[in-house]
Amino acid sequence: MRIQEDAPLPPEVSAAEEKFAVRDADPELLAQPKPAPEPKKKKGKVAKVKGPLVYPNRRPLKDPFWMGEKHVFDITYFGVTAGEFITEVLPNKQINNRTVYHMKGSAKSTAFFGNFYRINDFVESFWDYEGLFSHRFHLVQDESKQTRDALELYDQEKLETFYWNRWNHKEKGLHENKELQPMTPFSQDSLSSLLYLRVVPLPDGAVLNFPVVSEGKTWEAQVTVIRRETIDTPMGRYKAVVVKPETKFGGVLQKRGDSYLWFSDDERRYMLRMEAQVKIGTVIAACKRIE
């Protein structure tokens, strides 16, 4: 049975859910934060920031995101069109008195590929409008062998992430866990990591490091700028910057080799192509339409 995107959360998380409840954005509520101090780490643990929380302002001079923006990708596996992946920029929202971007991604397998493995997944990220870090991440999976509903809430004041995961596997059964884990301030989630690469400078040869929280665990992402080139796409020719991220995948798409991302080499930094070597073969997502 599919876990609905709007399914009610269990009562154990009602307090955290209230703090991170998604509300319509107030256009007059745009904070003017000062740059935050760099957090210090001791013996591998996340250090608490002393004093009142100061949010960073990391907005670029020109916003690459347009409300209503949509990227549509064809996903191919062994040369066969396996499905479609769509990313969207929805109207801004408000969480914990902060204005946030509402970013959504969805993946659905084709009818043919669904005979081998069916996918109908949904993911959304609520990304701070000025600080460019994640407040809330939600993943819903409806696949041949599993259904899953996972929620992550990122508390910058307590430097904790709340992770709630309800996973029902056809062979392994139903598992549910809730946990609190320490986190690095102003981290990205699994979706906002891609968005973050659309706003940071990508000079030739650069190596970027930034914290990511995934499945309740904090780790350091590393992205290397490989080269610049011109590529052909279904939308025409684009000048592109190619980066190599060190990422983590699980399950069927467990990473077994290198992955690469192509972004348009302009102010918009559109995502044009993704390639990932997985457990068996390589998955390619090629953008065929931008709206």
Side-chain angles (χ1 to χ4, degrees):
M1 181 178 68
R2 175 167 179 152
I3 304 173
Q4 299 297 324
E5 296 168 11
D6 58 353
L9 296 174
E12 293 87 346
V13 300
S14 58
E17 168 64 6
E18 175 61 26
K19 181 175 182 179
F20 292 92
V22 180
R23 297 179 172 88
D24 291 335
D26 181 350
E28 297 182 357
L29 189 64
L30 288 177
Q32 301 295 330
K34 299 178 181 179
E38 290 292 328
K40 296 180 180 180
K41 296 180 180 179
K42 294 182 179 180
K43 297 181 180 181
K45 296 182 179 180
V46 178
K48 299 286 186 180
V49 179
K50 295 182 179 180
L53 177 65
V54 179
Y55 289 98
N57 186 348
R58 303 191 287 193
R59 285 186 58 75
L61 293 177
K62 293 187 178 180
D63 193 342
F65 307 107
W66 290 357
M67 192 176 300
E69 175 186 300
K70 179 185 291 187
H71 288 59
V72 183
F73 298 84
D74 270 337
I75 302 174
T76 57
Y77 186 51
F78 284 105
V80 177
T81 301
E84 191 173 74
F85 176 59
I86 299 174
T87 63
E88 299 177 78
V89 181
L90 302 177
N92 290 349
K93 298 295 184 181
Q94 185 177 314
I95 291 180
N96 197 22
N97 294 323
R98 299 285 297 179
T99 299
V100 296
Y101 289 104
H102 184 188
M103 308 294 194
K104 177 183 175 181
S106 57
K108 189 172 184 178
S109 56
T110 61
F112 173 76
F113 194 81
N115 292 323
F116 304 95
Y117 194 86
R118 177 183 55 80
I119 295 176
N120 186 14
D121 295 350
F122 163 89
V123 63
E124 62 180 348
S125 172
F126 295 89
W127 204 39
D128 196 85
Y129 182 78
E130 295 198 356
L132 306 182
F133 58 86
S134 185
H135 288 272
R136 176 179 175 132
F137 176 79
H138 187 200
L139 168 68
V140 175
Q141 291 178 288
D142 178 12
E143 302 179 358
S144 293
K145 292 185 178 180
Q146 64 179 346
T147 59
R148 184 182 179 201
D149 195 338
L151 176 69
E152 298 187 56
L153 306 175
Y154 311 109
D155 194 324
Q156 303 297 331
E157 297 173 356
K158 297 181 179 180
L159 287 184
E160 290 180 335
T161 176
F162 175 82
Y163 177 57
W164 172 62
N165 180 43
R166 189 171 188 269
W167 180 48
N168 193 357
H169 194 278
K170 283 192 174 181
E171 298 174 357
K172 300 179 181 180
L174 177 63
H175 298 273
E176 184 172 3
N177 64 296
K178 310 178 190 72
E179 58 186 58
L180 282 171
Q181 295 288 347
M183 60 172 276
T184 301
F186 314 125
S187 297
Q188 306 302 325
D189 60 47
S190 300
L191 178 59
S192 71
S193 300
L194 299 177
L195 307 172
Y196 188 61
L197 293 176
R198 292 183 61 185
V199 301
V200 294
L202 296 176
D204 291 340
V207 178
L208 309 176
N209 294 278
F210 54 90
V212 178
V213 177
S214 177
E215 298 185 355
K217 304 296 189 293
T218 299
W219 52 283
E220 197 79 6
Q222 184 177 91
V223 178
T224 304
V225 181
I226 302 297
R227 63 183 181 273
R228 281 172 159 80
E229 63 185 20
T230 300
I231 65 171
D232 292 314
T233 76
M235 304 171 294
R237 305 198 82 189
Y238 276 85
K239 292 182 178 180
V241 54
V242 186
V243 304
K244 177 184 176 183
E246 291 300 322
T247 57
K248 297 181 180 180
F249 296 92
V252 174
L253 300 184
Q254 187 174 357
K255 185 177 183 294
R256 284 294 185 270
D258 295 333
S259 300
Y260 297 93
L261 302 171
W262 282 255
F263 294 94
S264 63
D265 195 12
D266 53 28
E267 293 178 347
R268 299 302 308 282
R269 202 77 65 78
Y270 291 125
M271 191 182 304
L272 302 174
R273 184 180 177 91
M274 296 178 279
E275 290 185 7
Q277 294 181 15
V278 294
K279 191 173 182 180
I280 302 175
T282 300
V283 174
I284 299 173
C287 189
K288 64 179 179 180
R289 189 169 73 251
I290 298 175
E291 300 175 3

